[in-house]
Amino acid sequence: MKAALETDVLYVHGIRRQEGSVGLVIFERDDILLHQRPQFGDYTLGDIDTEFVTMLQDMRELRVRFGFVWRHPTFPATRGARIESARLTQLLDALLKVSAASPDFWIETIHSRGPGQPPSWPGAPELDVVLELAEWYDVDPTMTVLVRKGEFHHYSSATAAFTEILYPGLDASGSPDSDRRASLVWLKTKIKHALNLP
């Protein structure tokens, strides 16, 4: 199903627009922008990491291109899952717009490509998405940053030309605000260094 969320929407599974002009930063949406989703109930403002949104506002002021990717574990997803995903994207996009942190893109990926599956959306593997986004925005891969939450790199220097940053993240319920702010200052510094920003 293809459906427009607004004029700059790519498809039901993503949005593409031109907000920034410097480099390209690709954030994983889940566990970075969003806290863990409750098993039941809709997302609320409390599910969004407000300290992280403040960092995105700084990125927007620096004219850095940034956006979010998220994963579906299987392909193809059901029609209902696609609609729910599109609605969530629309909601998050609207919330970030209000916060002056409007992303350049929202794109869906999957964990791995199935047999005979072409590298195109919906359902492109993460590496294909990273390289395609760099091409879309005419950004040198060496000026492209992928920010993931985790302990281990997915890509070696031999695999990819872009920079992969492992965001340590912190449990919003149990981490002191000072630790959270320090973690985000560290992340912003790493991104600026990767993009050769002062």
Side-chain angles (χ1 to χ4, degrees):
M1 174 183 176
K2 296 181 181 180
L5 301 180
E6 58 186 43
T7 56
D8 54 10
V9 163
L10 189 60
Y11 294 117
V12 71
H13 54 278
I15 295 173
R16 179 188 168 206
R17 60 169 67 96
Q18 186 78 37
E19 294 284 341
S21 59
V22 179
L24 179 66
V25 182
I26 303 165
F27 295 101
E28 288 189 340
R29 182 194 70 186
D30 302 324
D31 296 324
I32 295 182
L33 174 66
L34 290 175
H35 303 310
Q36 185 97 17
R37 184 178 184 180
Q39 188 172 0
F40 301 102
D42 296 327
Y43 280 104
T44 67
L45 281 171
D47 294 309
I48 298 177
D49 186 332
T50 54
E51 295 279 353
F52 182 75
V53 171
T54 299
M55 191 202 72
L56 294 181
Q57 293 168 344
D58 293 341
M59 293 286 99
R60 185 50 67 224
E61 289 179 5
L62 291 169
R63 299 294 299 157
V64 171
R65 294 183 186 94
F66 68 82
F68 296 91
V69 296
W70 70 94
R71 294 187 185 89
H72 275 298
T74 59
F75 177 84
T78 65
R79 181 175 181 275
R82 290 274 183 218
I83 293 171
E84 180 183 359
S85 179
R87 287 176 178 160
L88 174 59
T89 299
Q90 189 175 30
L91 170 64
L92 295 174
D93 191 61
L95 290 172
L96 290 186
K97 277 184 179 179
V98 169
S99 301
S102 183
D104 289 87
F105 58 87
W106 299 85
I107 296 293
E108 174 189 332
T109 71
I110 59 170
H111 285 295
S112 61
R113 189 186 306 173
Q117 181 185 332
S120 60
W121 288 287
E126 184 179 72
L127 180 58
D128 291 344
V129 170
V130 171
L131 298 177
E132 188 70 19
L133 282 168
E135 184 178 336
W136 263 352
Y137 288 107
D138 195 24
V139 177
D140 190 304
T142 61
M143 294 292 287
T144 299
V145 178
L146 174 64
V147 179
R148 298 179 41 253
K149 184 176 179 183
E151 298 179 0
F152 304 102
H153 289 274
H154 282 183
Y155 306 105
S156 69
S157 57
T159 302
F162 56 87
T163 300
E164 184 181 17
I165 298 175
L166 297 181
Y167 174 54
L170 293 166
D171 182 357
S173 62
S175 300
D177 287 342
S178 58
D179 288 349
R180 291 170 53 71
R181 281 191 291 271
S183 180
L184 288 166
V185 167
W186 173 86
L187 176 59
K188 181 180 174 182
T189 300
K190 292 281 286 184
I191 290 171
K192 290 175 68 176
H193 178 74
L195 299 181
N196 298 320
L197 293 172

